[in-house]
Amino acid sequence: MSGTQPSGGASGGANSGSGSGSAMRPAERALLASLPTGLLIDGEWREASDGGTFVVEDPATGAALLAIADATPADGEAALAAAHRAQAGWARTAPRERAEILRRAFDAVTARAEDFALLMTLEMGKPLAESRGEVAYGAEFLRWFSEETSRVSGRYATAPDGRSRLLVLKRPVGPSLFITPWNFPLAMATRKIAPAIAAGCTMVLKPAALTPLTALLFAAVLEEAGLPPGVLNVIPTTSAGRVTGPLVRDPRLRKLSFTGSTEVGRRLIADAADQVLRVSMELGGNAPFLVFEDADLDQAVEGALLAKLRNGGEACTAANRLLVHERVAAEFAERLTARIAAYPVARGTEPGAKLGPLVDAGTRDKVHELVESARADGATVALGGRPVPGPGYFYEPTVLTNVPADARILREEIFGPVAPIVTFADEAEAVALANATEFGLVAYAFTRDLDRGLRLAEELEVGMFGLNTGIVSNPAAPFGGVKQSGIGREGGFEGIEEYLETTYVGIADPFRG
């Protein structure tokens, strides 16, 4: 894998935030040295047009990992121009050929699972076990959409009055811009890129500046799998607005897909209106986690650990508010606190690590600010509640009880390992509390009452619902939210439709005359 190599290479030698004292290992150095560090534009790895670079850091140590090219607006324009030039030929490429590229990419990502897992742990911080899970999840989008590629179909029908025939065709939307977040560096890329490849769309990918290395490795794997030049262009940058803003206003772009905060999503939707772009938006969440009085508490605690602490709480699907029936709240809180207290906090590469660092100092400080705000509102800190001293951006796993229903921490996305517990008296109050937010991505509920579960599925204002499970993400299922949590769906049968336009052809009656 070629690329522009930074002067001085990767640095190491810093200790983990957990105090384990582990310096960067030879395998880590070797992986970083093998990565492309340039921009991928029209099938070539190149430096930024002004020669600029930026450094990617290890959030467990604060040490530099690698310097990579920092794209400029001119580089963004070149990437879109390449995607535009490649679009017509790529759209005519046989579906089976596109499918085989995706399948080869799936095989390659799976074969290099340890490389991808280690790289994500280094640049994002999550424990290796979770990174391996993300590799399996992210790769599955490649396999799923390889199977969907040849199933894109239309229809031929007789008009109701019998005087004409209706032909309905599907065709690619066209050049697409993807802006992905830092928290799932592989899965958020594959969830967008795989259906676009399947549908016949070319792409420009702007990965998050905090975690761009995984995207660069994945782009190199797609090249090796046979993806033609210009179909995927990758432009990491620290100037996201300056680079992507002109692309959104460029008439050659036909689709914008963004995963990130609702605040940024609103601005992008407004900008996309000028070109009437197709948009997919996967935005913020404020997921309620409901535990009813008849729940299996062991199962509910396990579900809460998954829904709250997966990815260190840095997930839009994380349980943000734990709403527990007043009859079982004390026992649930006691069990959950005992389990969370046993979670080792360490650099993600350390054996047994279950919680790594938060991604940067700003994220850690925001989490602590929310905890302190809840404390001031009258919440009880049952566990944790402080940043971990030392290098890196670690935060203690935290449980809050007696949280007032109007506390700020229940209104804002926490994005950290903090579990605030609120009580409710009955199902009606639980639903009202759950729906009392502008967000509507996902909700979770634990109950043995199937009728109640079905009622909740219809009453909760969310795009996804986990019944007696703390995880809902699945490549075969449509991922997305309602209200201010987004527009559109990713994954499932629905995912490829986001990259297809519908054309209707009216045909004169062949039996006329």
Side-chain angles (χ1 to χ4, degrees), residues 296-330:
D296 179 328
L297 286 190
D298 287 335
Q299 185 183 43
V301 168
E302 290 298 328
L305 293 171
L306 273 175
K308 178 68 262 183
L309 296 184
R310 178 174 176 247
N311 221 53
E314 295 175 307
C316 55
T317 54
N320 214 59
R321 301 168 288 152
L322 279 63
L323 312 179
V324 186
H325 192 278
E326 59 191 15
R327 279 172 43 192
V328 297

Side-chain angles (χ1 to χ4, degrees), residues 194-449:
I197 289 175
C201 295
T202 59
M203 300 151 279
V204 176
L205 170 66
K206 201 291 293 177
L210 288 170
T211 58
L213 304 182
T214 301
L216 296 176
L217 177 57
F218 179 53
V221 165
L222 283 172
E223 278 193 305
E224 294 167 3
L227 195 68
V231 174
L232 173 65
N233 305 273
V234 184
I235 50 169
T237 181
T238 57
S239 303
R242 289 181 57 240
V243 172
T244 63
L247 305 186
V248 174
R249 296 188 292 272
D250 193 308
R252 293 173 295 183
L253 189 73
R254 297 311 316 143
K255 163 83 181 185
L256 169 63
S257 180
F258 169 75
T259 299
S261 71
T262 295
E263 179 184 5
V264 174
R266 289 191 197 104
R267 294 200 300 267
L268 288 171
I269 292 170
D271 292 343
D274 286 343
Q275 296 294 335
V276 195
L277 294 180
R278 284 277 294 272
V279 296
S280 299
M281 295 281 153
E282 199 270 282
L283 307 177
N286 188 4
F289 185 98
L290 285 67
V291 181
F292 287 88
E293 69 275 19
D294 66 336
D296 179 328
L297 286 190
D298 287 335
Q299 185 183 43
V301 168
E302 290 298 328
L305 293 171
L306 273 175
K308 178 68 262 183
L309 296 184
R310 178 174 176 247
N311 221 53
E314 295 175 307
C316 55
T317 54
N320 214 59
R321 301 168 288 152
L322 279 63
L323 312 179
V324 186
H325 192 278
E326 59 191 15
R327 279 172 43 192
V328 297
E331 183 178 359
F332 175 83
E334 182 179 350
R335 293 192 192 188
L336 182 66
T337 300
R339 290 294 304 280
I340 291 179
Y343 264 50
V345 178
R347 187 172 190 244
T349 54
E350 295 300 313
K354 283 202 168 185
L355 279 178
L358 298 178
V359 74
D360 62 7
T363 301
R364 179 197 57 197
D365 295 345
K366 172 67 181 300
V367 169
H368 190 54
E369 180 188 341
L370 287 172
V371 170
E372 288 299 294
S373 173
R375 196 197 305 262
D377 289 337
T380 300
V381 180
L383 178 71
R386 295 169 300 178
V388 177
Y393 310 119
F394 294 85
Y395 198 85
E396 294 178 342
T398 299
V399 177
L400 304 174
T401 59
N402 303 314
V403 181
D406 60 349
R408 175 187 166 197
I409 199 168
L410 303 179
R411 301 192 304 271
E412 298 184 23
E413 204 167 16
I414 301 170
F415 248 60
V418 179
I421 298 175
V422 181
T423 61
F424 63 84
D426 55 31
E427 183 179 321
E429 184 183 9
V431 170
L433 287 171
N435 287 340
T437 174
E438 68 267 35
F439 300 105
L441 184 61
V442 62
Y444 308 90
F446 282 75
T447 177
R448 289 186 173 97
D449 186 335

Side-chain angles (χ1 to χ4, degrees), residues 14-18 20 22-25 28 58 60-61 65 121-122 125-127 345-351 353 355-357 394:
N15 294 335
S16 79
S18 66
S20 65
S22 175
M24 189 176 291
R25 298 172 173 89
E28 298 168 12
D58 178 348
T61 65
L65 292 173
T121 292
L122 290 176
K126 70 183 76 179
V345 178
R347 187 172 190 244
T349 54
E350 295 300 313
L355 279 178
F394 294 85

Side-chain angles (χ1 to χ4, degrees), residues 19-79:
S20 65
S22 175
M24 189 176 291
R25 298 172 173 89
E28 298 168 12
R29 293 182 184 278
L31 175 59
L32 293 171
S34 74
L35 296 178
T37 58
L39 313 174
L40 179 60
I41 299 176
D42 205 12
E44 296 182 358
W45 293 98
R46 60 175 76 172
E47 294 182 349
S49 59
D50 64 358
T53 64
F54 67 96
V55 173
V56 182
E57 293 185 349
D58 178 348
T61 65
L65 292 173
L66 204 59
I68 65 171
D70 192 353
T72 67
D75 296 319
E77 194 283 331

Side-chain angles (χ1 to χ4, degrees), residues 156-157 159 163-169 503-510:
Y156 176 82
R163 296 178 181 176
S164 63
R165 300 296 180 266
L166 315 178
L167 180 64
V168 179
L169 309 174
T503 298
Y504 153 63
V505 181
I507 305 172
D509 180 4

